[in-house]
Amino acid sequence: MNIHNVSLSISAVSPKQYPDTKFPEIAFAGRSNVGKSSFINRLLNRKSLARTSSKPGKTATINFYNVDDSLHLVDLPGYGYAQVSKEEKKKWGTMIETYLSSREQLRCTALLVDARHKPTQDDINMLGWIRNAQGFALVFATKCDKIAKTKLSEHLDEIYYTLELGDDDIMIPFSAETGLGLDDAWEAIKELTGLQES
């Protein structure tokens, strides 16, 4: 993917703050610390556009990343972080649900799961919501570089069966460190958003 200009359009907490643009959006959901920021940085070939943190629960806004004035990558707050208050969790949940259910420009929501671990009930619930909204699942299994190559297919199978993925669903193994899955990720994004490469 040939990318020229990328920038953070806005960090929003409510619909009135969403960018007033017409180009398509693809959103990324996942547990806190699943690697969404690293994933986005790798997609965009930038070191630190999306701020990464070793401390989960840092992303408390919906972050819109403008790609060549033709696409927004949307980073949603992570879920499932135990040390966030119930009130904060509820606020984030409402923020995510409002965006996913009301944003006309949204073409697809992808779920990110950590390939090292079996998907949690939160992941299963999130995927159910996504599937109801768009009819299929796009799943990125992150941090694949942290698993021995001989064990990777075993881990991917566990994700596939736990999330009950089927023929209409897409699962892409990914590593922000090595670039595994990068081309496949962009192919999926282009197909789902109708993005034309410049």
Side-chain angles (χ1 to χ4, degrees):
M1 179 70 183
N2 196 10
I3 297 167
H4 304 287
N5 297 296
V6 295
S7 62
L8 175 63
S9 291
I10 195 164
S11 296
V13 295
S14 68
K16 64 177 182 285
Q17 296 177 321
Y18 299 165
D20 185 20
T21 50
K22 299 298 181 198
F23 40 83
E25 296 174 0
I26 183 164
F28 301 102
R31 292 173 64 207
S32 295
N33 222 24
V34 74
K36 288 198 306 306
S37 297
S38 298
F39 174 84
I40 288 170
N41 284 332
R42 185 71 195 210
L43 278 182
L44 298 178
N45 195 26
R46 298 295 189 275
K47 283 273 190 282
S48 55
L49 179 67
R51 283 173 298 178
T52 59
S53 173
S54 57
K55 187 179 179 186
K58 277 292 187 188
T59 304
T61 53
I62 299 174
N63 297 328
F64 292 80
Y65 296 96
N66 181 333
V67 184
D68 288 336
D69 284 333
S70 57
L71 172 73
H72 268 130
L73 302 185
V74 183
D75 185 10
L76 301 172
Y79 53 79
Y81 182 48
Q83 290 182 7
V84 172
S85 70
K86 281 186 179 175
E87 193 177 314
E88 191 76 1
K89 281 182 189 173
K90 190 176 178 185
K91 189 171 80 176
W92 291 1
T94 302
M95 195 191 308
I96 293 168
E97 194 172 325
T98 300
Y99 169 76
L100 293 179
S101 61
S102 67
R103 187 65 167 165
E104 283 183 22
Q105 293 88 329
L106 179 63
R107 297 290 177 270
C108 176
T109 304
L111 179 69
L112 274 65
V113 295
D114 187 329
R116 297 172 298 177
H117 309 298
K118 183 178 179 177
T120 65
Q121 189 59 50
D122 283 337
D123 293 325
I124 293 167
N125 294 345
M126 187 74 217
L127 192 69
W129 204 102
I130 291 170
R131 201 191 290 282
N132 284 339
Q134 65 194 30
F136 69 95
L138 170 60
V139 177
F140 291 101
T142 63
K143 306 189 182 185
C144 284
D145 57 286
K146 300 188 186 305
I147 300 170
K149 287 181 180 176
T150 53
K151 296 280 189 184
L152 183 56
S153 62
E154 191 180 307
H155 283 257
L156 295 175
D157 284 348
E158 183 174 52
I159 293 167
Y160 192 90
Y161 291 117
T162 303
L163 294 177
E164 297 183 356
L165 300 180
D167 292 342
D168 294 334
D169 302 320
I170 304 162
M171 182 169 70
I172 298 173
F174 195 90
S175 166
E177 288 292 319
T178 67
L180 172 73
L182 183 61
D183 290 343
D184 289 340
W186 271 116
E187 282 307 311
I189 290 168
K190 286 190 285 186
E191 187 175 333
L192 291 165
T193 61
L195 182 67
Q196 301 296 315
E197 195 159 351
S198 56

